[in-house]
């Protein structure tokens, strides 16, 4: 490589988690860039307060003054601080596992940041030299998460934006140094570099957290969890942690300036991350089949190559271009894996369903979508799983049809009960096919229940209930597969377990991600490792534990690293579908505290 890569941006962040300042030059110290992360907002016990929990902190802007610093926030009078007025009383501070002394600033600063955060906090100062000494580095470090400096190349950001459905800026990643490069992740290959007067060593890739998902203009988390969602596809390690940028330590002090050439003194092998996007292929719509009112099956064939193998009940990750924006969703396959050459997804119109409704209205014969390899552990194995109960409501019928079609193709429908709940006779999906399959297989019993039946309806009526359950023969002997809205599945599970169904016979797949914030607020009792407190059904277990002063290990706070994995001993929680937890773990009662929301009283073991 030629020495053509240049330092294009320098950023410092005077206070941890607040907005940064762009500089044309900076003095580099062992503890980091001058004035970088010299302040930190903290609780009374010194625990750090960051935008991981209070995303509006990024809207605090900062400027350096000759004798201090000024902070601004929308709607508030600026906070001007002069170093000479600091109380400078020694006080404990904690950044992750590091405990060290810091200094108090002013009562005015504490009051100002308390109003921004919405709870009582203090503004701490490191002093001219931080007392936080990290043994693995052999010297002191500021209030930064773990390492003094972070470097990212422009080529890396460009590659992220090429893959992501949203556009991202360097500001999201709070990097100190940006270098110009057309090669994505060129910084991953650097072991030792020199910029200006300073030699740096790359010590490890930077693991990213939910802070990167904060919209810096709005001061709020992106609901899409971008860019973490995209990173999980091509920058994740075996445990699900995602990485972007390289952590640096300075080997000496000196000056750096924008425009300085990056001299590479020593290279290293780039870290390897499995690129899951390599499995993607284009599928063309070859048939639209109306299977019920507002319910359409799209039959898909590959543009080139062959379709991947899959198991009945698995889902298909797809990408669509809607109004110039790439949108990603998961749709359960309704086709049988025994019929090669075609895949099918069956889509039901739903209120507010951006992608589902767009597919039904806009996706026509000859249109193309991009799909990844089918995935998921919600599927049946071979005949040893029978007798079976396939239980669904609404769009949850799709994996059940895949399973039933698969069993029929294998001529292994020996003792299967197929139960589906929907609104009216017009809403019964695959009605004629279900009648045909029931006539074809003596071992199949189809049970349909309508919540808004016509007067001449002779089948089951109402929502799934104990009276319906009593009509299912040999329930406790069956393997039960359930898919539908959260409320439907929770009720089904409660009823069947009370009737004696062994818990290891129960398997469920959430159809979509339920919105817990739309639920009526309900008080629940939460116990974590024996620490009991009152909570609600709105916030995550982690948020409520922190508010109650109960510690749960955590890192990314976004469902990608698995650091906050806990076990539900009793009670129900809503666990969204996130990368760091597998279906097999969920079946064992494990959830991620950072995104799991209690629905009832719960007993948790960390």
């Amino acid at each position: 490589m030629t020495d053509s890569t240049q330092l294009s941006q320098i950023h410092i962040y005077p206070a941890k988690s607040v907005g940064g300042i762009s500089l044309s030059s900076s003095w580099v110290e062992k503890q980091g860039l001058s004035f970088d992360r010299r302040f930190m907002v903290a609780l009374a016990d010194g625990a750090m307060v960051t935008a991981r929990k209070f995303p509006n902190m990024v809207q605090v802007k900062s400027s350096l003054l000759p004798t201090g610093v000024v902070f601004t926030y929308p709607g508030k009078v600026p906070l001007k601080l002069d170093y000479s007025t600091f109380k400078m009383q020694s006080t404990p501070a904690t950044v992750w596992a590091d405990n060290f002394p810091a200094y108090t600033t002013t009562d005015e600063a504490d009051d100002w940041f308390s109003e921004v955060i919405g709870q009582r906090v203090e503004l701490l100062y490191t002093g001219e030299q931080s007392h936080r000494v990290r043994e693995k580095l052999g010297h002191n470090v500021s209030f930064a998460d773990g390492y003094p400096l972070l470097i990212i190349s422009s080529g890396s950001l460009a590659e992220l934006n090429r893959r992501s459905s949203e556009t991202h800026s360097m500001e999201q990643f709070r990097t100190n140094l940006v270098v110009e490069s057309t090669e994505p992740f060129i910084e991953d290959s650097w072991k030792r570099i020199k910029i200006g007067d300073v030699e740096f060593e790359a010590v490890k890739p930077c693991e990213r957290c939910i802070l990167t998902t904060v919209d810096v203009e709005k001061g709020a988390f992106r609901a899409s969890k971008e860019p973490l969602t995209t990173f999980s596809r091509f920058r994740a390690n075996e445990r699900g942690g995602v990485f972007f940028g390289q952590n640096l330590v300075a080997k000496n002090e000196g000056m750096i300036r924008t425009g300085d050439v990056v001299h590479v003194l020593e290279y290293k092998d780039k870290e390897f991350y499995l690129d899951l996007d390599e499995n993607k292929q284009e599928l063309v719509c070859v048939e639209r089949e109306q299977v019920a009112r507002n319910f359409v099956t799209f039959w898909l064939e590959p543009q080139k190559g062959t379709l991947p193998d899959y198991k009945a009940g698995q889902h298909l990750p797809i990408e669509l271009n809607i109004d110039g924006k790439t949108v990603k969703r998961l749709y359960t396959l309704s086709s049988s894996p025994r019929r090669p050459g075609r895949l099918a997804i069956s889509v039901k119109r739903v209120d507010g369903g951006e992608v589902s409704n767009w597919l039904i209205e806009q996706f026509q014969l000859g249109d193309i979508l991009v799909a990844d390899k089918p995935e998921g552990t919600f599927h049946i194995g071979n005949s040893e799983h029978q007798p079976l109960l396939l239980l669904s409501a609404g769009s949850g019928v799709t994996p059940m049809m895949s399973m039933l079609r698969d069993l029929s193709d294998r001529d292994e429908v020996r003792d299967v009960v197929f139960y589906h709940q929907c609104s009216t006779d017009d809403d019964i999906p695959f009605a004629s096919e279900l009648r045909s399959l029931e006539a074809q297989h003596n071992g199949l019993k189809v049970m349909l229940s309508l919540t808004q039946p016509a007067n001449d309806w002779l089948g089951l009526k109402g929502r799934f209930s104990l009276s319906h359950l009593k009509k299912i023969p040999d329930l406790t002997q069956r393997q039960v597969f359930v898919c539908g809205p959260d409320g439907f599945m929770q009720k089904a599970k409660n009823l069947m377990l009370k009737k004696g169904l062994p818990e290891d016979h129960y398997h469920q797949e959430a159809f979509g991600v339920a919105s817990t914030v739309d639920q009526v607020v309900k008080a629940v009792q939460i116990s974590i490792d024996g620490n009991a407190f009152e909570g609600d059904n709105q916030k995550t277990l982690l948020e409520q534990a922190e508010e109650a002063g109960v510690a749960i290990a955590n890192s990314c706070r976004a469902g990608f690293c698995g650091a906050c994995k806990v076990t539900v001993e009793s009670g129900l929680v809503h666990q969204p579908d996130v990368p760091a937890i597998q279906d097999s773990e969920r079946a064992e009662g494990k959830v991620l505290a950072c995104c799991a929301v209690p629905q009832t009283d719960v007993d948790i073991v960390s």
Side-chain angles (χ1 to χ4, degrees):
M1 170 190 149
T2 61
D3 286 334
S4 59
T5 306
Q6 291 186 337
L7 180 65
S8 60
Q9 298 175 37
I10 301 172
H11 302 286
I12 61 169
Y13 305 86
K16 188 177 183 70
S17 275
V18 309
I21 302 171
S22 295
L23 303 175
S24 58
S25 64
S26 180
W27 181 258
V28 182
E29 302 172 336
K30 291 289 188 70
Q31 63 178 339
L33 299 184
S34 290
F35 305 107
D36 186 50
R37 274 94 167 188
R38 297 306 197 260
F39 294 92
M40 180 178 80
V41 180
L43 300 177
D45 62 359
M48 64 180 181
V49 173
T50 74
R52 293 177 179 87
K53 187 173 181 181
F54 301 97
N56 65 311
M57 288 181 70
V58 303
Q59 293 186 299
V60 176
K61 305 303 180 185
S62 50
S63 298
L64 298 179
L65 300 175
T67 59
V69 62
V70 59
F71 295 105
T72 61
Y73 185 78
K76 285 187 61 63
V77 175
L79 172 67
K80 294 182 179 180
L81 298 178
D82 192 304
Y83 295 122
S84 65
T85 66
F86 288 1
K87 292 182 289 186
M88 293 300 289
Q89 297 169 337
S90 182
T91 188
T94 301
V95 175
W96 297 114
D98 295 341
N99 299 293
F100 53 96
Y103 298 100
T104 56
T105 54
T106 69
D107 292 340
E108 181 188 11
D110 297 344
D111 293 342
W112 195 88
F113 274 97
S114 295
E115 291 178 7
V116 170
I117 298 301
Q119 71 178 67
R120 193 64 198 169
V121 295
E122 299 177 352
L123 182 67
L124 305 185
Y125 175 54
T126 61
E128 287 191 19
Q129 289 292 322
S130 169
H131 296 291
R132 178 191 179 196
V133 177
R134 303 206 70 208
E135 291 184 10
K136 62 175 62 177
L137 299 183
H139 57 76
N140 62 340
V141 181
S142 68
F143 286 128
D145 269 358
Y147 296 90
L149 296 115
L150 176 65
I151 190 170
I152 300 174
S153 72
S154 59
S156 302
L157 180 65
E159 177 63 12
L160 166 65
N161 283 328
R162 185 184 71 82
R163 291 171 176 258
S164 177
S165 59
E166 300 182 21
T167 302
H168 306 282
S169 67
M170 279 294 183
E171 197 174 357
Q172 291 173 239
F173 304 103
R174 306 181 66 79
T175 186
N176 297 112
L177 308 179
V178 178
V179 294
E180 283 299 317
S181 174
T182 57
E183 178 185 335
F185 310 109
I186 190 172
E187 64 272 25
D188 289 358
S189 67
W190 297 339
K191 178 61 178 174
R192 288 189 305 119
I193 60 175
K194 186 175 183 182
I195 304 174
D197 301 331
V198 186
E199 181 181 326
F200 301 92
E201 181 180 358
V203 287
K204 68 185 292 291
C206 182
E207 185 166 0
R208 308 319 303 234
C209 68
I210 198 169
L211 185 52
T212 62
T213 72
V214 175
D215 184 317
V216 294
E217 298 299 324
K218 299 177 180 178
F221 295 117
R222 299 184 188 212
S224 61
K225 289 191 177 178
E226 285 291 350
L228 294 182
T229 302
T230 296
F231 280 146
S232 70
R233 301 288 306 165
F234 79 113
R235 296 284 295 179
N237 66 6
E238 62 281 353
R239 63 174 175 79
V242 299
F243 299 86
F244 189 61
Q246 290 285 328
N247 289 303
L248 300 180
V249 294
K251 308 304 287 185
N252 63 286
E253 296 189 346
M255 184 69 73
I256 59 173
R257 301 171 178 83
T258 57
D260 282 345
V261 170
V262 178
H263 298 278
V264 181
L265 306 179
E266 183 181 348
Y267 290 95
K268 64 180 177 69
D269 293 335
K270 288 186 176 184
E271 292 79 18
F272 172 77
Y273 305 105
L274 186 65
D275 188 349
L276 301 180
D277 291 337
E278 289 180 344
N279 296 320
K280 292 180 179 177
Q281 63 182 145
E282 291 185 338
L283 303 181
V284 61
C285 178
V286 294
E287 183 182 351
R288 282 176 56 109
E289 178 188 3
Q290 192 84 28
V291 296
R293 180 172 57 186
N294 293 322
F295 211 155
V296 177
T297 292
F298 298 93
W299 290 93
L300 308 167
E301 293 182 359
Q303 282 280 79
K304 58 181 179 180
T306 58
L307 291 172
D309 294 332
Y310 66 96
K311 296 179 180 179
Q314 289 187 308
H315 50 254
L316 185 72
I318 70 168
E319 294 180 15
L320 294 165
N321 188 295
I322 300 179
D323 298 328
K325 184 176 74 170
T326 299
V327 180
K328 301 179 181 181
R329 290 292 189 273
L330 300 177
Y331 282 96
T332 305
L333 291 161
S334 55
S335 50
S336 167
R338 303 289 160 174
R339 306 177 198 177
R342 278 189 175 189
L343 297 177
I345 57 172
S346 298
V347 179
K348 190 176 189 298
R349 183 186 295 277
V350 292
D351 291 338
E354 175 192 7
V355 178
S356 295
N357 296 348
W358 185 90
L359 281 167
I360 289 176
E361 294 168 4
Q362 304 292 333
F363 197 65
Q364 303 297 328
L365 297 182
D367 288 346
I368 292 172
L369 58 76
V370 175
D372 206 343
K373 184 178 180 181
E375 56 188 31
T377 59
F378 184 73
H379 54 79
I380 57 175
N382 296 320
S383 56
E384 68 268 13
H385 280 93
Q386 295 194 43
L388 278 173
L389 169 59
L390 305 179
L391 189 75
S392 62
S395 303
V397 71
T398 54
M400 305 312 175
M401 281 305 300
S402 181
M403 294 177 186
L404 184 57
R405 285 167 165 170
D406 180 48
L407 290 170
S408 178
D409 289 346
R410 289 191 271 144
D411 197 23
E412 291 185 358
V413 182
R414 288 193 291 276
D415 188 352
V416 178
V417 175
F418 187 102
Y419 175 104
H420 183 69
Q421 171 190 302
C422 56
S423 297
T424 71
D425 186 61
D426 290 335
D427 297 304
I428 299 173
F430 312 99
S432 60
E433 183 177 357
L434 286 172
R435 287 193 294 269
S436 175
L437 288 169
E438 190 172 30
Q440 180 183 344
H441 300 285
N442 293 330
L444 174 62
K445 179 179 182 180
V446 175
M447 301 173 62
L448 300 173
S449 183
L450 302 185
T451 57
Q452 300 173 33
N455 292 332
D456 59 351
W457 173 253
L458 300 178
L460 298 174
K461 299 177 182 179
R463 300 185 183 278
F464 184 70
S465 63
L466 184 60
S467 64
H468 293 179
L469 194 62
K470 290 179 178 179
K471 298 180 183 298
I472 299 172
D474 305 317
L475 172 68
T476 59
Q477 306 303 312
R478 297 181 182 275
Q479 292 287 336
V480 179
F481 289 81
V482 183
C483 186
D486 269 11
F488 171 81
M489 292 193 297
Q490 289 174 14
K491 183 176 182 180
K493 184 175 184 179
N494 287 338
L495 286 174
M496 288 188 282
L497 294 185
K498 287 180 180 178
K499 290 294 289 183
L501 180 76
E503 191 154 4
D504 61 356
H505 283 207
Y506 181 90
H507 317 276
Q508 75 175 37
E509 173 87 323
F511 189 82
V513 178
S515 174
T516 56
V517 295
D518 291 338
Q519 296 182 13
V520 175
V521 178
K522 181 177 70 174
V524 298
Q525 291 297 313
I526 301 173
S527 175
I528 299 176
D529 295 331
N531 300 294
F533 56 91
E534 184 173 296
D536 59 39
N537 63 339
Q538 302 292 300
K539 297 180 181 178
T540 67
L541 289 170
L542 179 58
E543 291 173 314
Q544 299 193 67
E546 289 175 334
E547 291 173 359
V550 178
I552 295 180
N554 68 90
S555 180
C556 78
R557 303 180 74 96
F560 287 85
C561 74
C564 64
K565 197 173 294 178
V566 296
T567 301
V568 181
E569 293 288 304
S570 65
L572 294 174
V573 302
H574 172 70
Q575 171 60 65
D577 185 16
V578 291
I581 192 162
Q582 305 301 313
D583 290 344
S584 57
E585 293 176 308
R586 294 167 72 163
E588 295 170 357
K590 290 182 170 56
V591 298
L592 299 179
C594 71
C595 50
V597 178
Q599 304 296 286
T600 65
D601 295 348
V602 290
D603 187 2
I604 305 294
V605 176
S606 65

